[in-house]
Amino acid sequence: MKDSLTKWSSFILPWAMSHGVRIIVIFFAAIILNKIIKKFIEKTVRLAIQPDINASTMGEKQREETLIHIFTAAASIAILTIAGLMIFAEIGLMIGPILAGAGILGLALGFGGQYLIRDVISGLFIILENQYRIGDVVDFGIASGLVEKVSLRMTTLRDLDGTVHHVPHGEIKKVSNLSKYYARVNLNIGIAYSTNIDHVIEVINKLGNDLAAESPWKESILKAPQFLRIDEFGSSSIIIKILGETLPLKQWEVTGELRKRIKSTFEAEGIEMPFPQLVIHQKTNIEKP
């Protein structure tokens, strides 16, 4: 019994003093390195991300926290993997077959998950560049609607009909954000050629100023809708353009109210808004007596 204990102690003690100490050092070094890299990533991201003066403080903080989480998670996985392999080598396990198996597994996952990797990388750039956020109205070409959720792999939209679209980031080729910073009232209307243009300009500008001064519309309007130009000479009318600026997502409400007021005011002011009409002449055959 004493011989066995002596034999084991003569083996364990030297192993613990060499390999055991190294394992402890590797373990604590991995923890400390992980904390240092996490702090470094956090400071780097906050310095690298340019603050958007038009975005809310909460939105900017959410974007930074998302990027910090992504980078720190990737760094932690890399550090723990390397530390684990080093500990296996100290224990006496052959890490060569493990690395070979990991390489084969990584190759298989690379072929099977190439679209997943593409989606994740595209999502990372979408968040990094702040192309859109939750609450924005966007148009991807393949789908459009209100952004309800943004993950690293896909964006969830809900359109005006209530249909939910799940769009992988790798499928997004173009992003049109309809609600970033501000929106515009962009309205074209037709008036008759015989109309006094100066009178129309006066009426439209007064309508826009009155709308921008009344509640609840004044809370949504940044720049009162005003006459901009004669946009086109149509076949039966002169097309004029009205332009204004509103808060994001408020342009449709303001434009609808402006249309309603233009219709009633033009009728009261005697301004004609022509529309296509078809006149049919019927020939009557009169028999001679």
Side-chain angles (χ1 to χ4, degrees), residues 138-150:
V138 297
D139 183 4
F140 295 153
I142 55 176
S144 61
L146 179 71
V147 178
E148 290 193 338
K149 182 180 178 182
V150 180

Side-chain angles (χ1 to χ4, degrees), residues 155-166:
T155 294
T156 302
L157 305 178
R158 186 181 296 273
D159 63 21
L160 198 59
D161 296 326
T163 305
V164 176
H165 304 273
H166 301 282

Side-chain angles (χ1 to χ4, degrees), residues 29 60 68 86 92 98 113 123 145 174 178 233 241 272 279-280:
E60 285 297 301
I68 290 170
M86 293 175 68
I98 297 176
K174 184 187 74 169
L178 282 67
F233 290 113
K241 180 177 287 293
E272 182 183 355
V279 179
I280 299 176

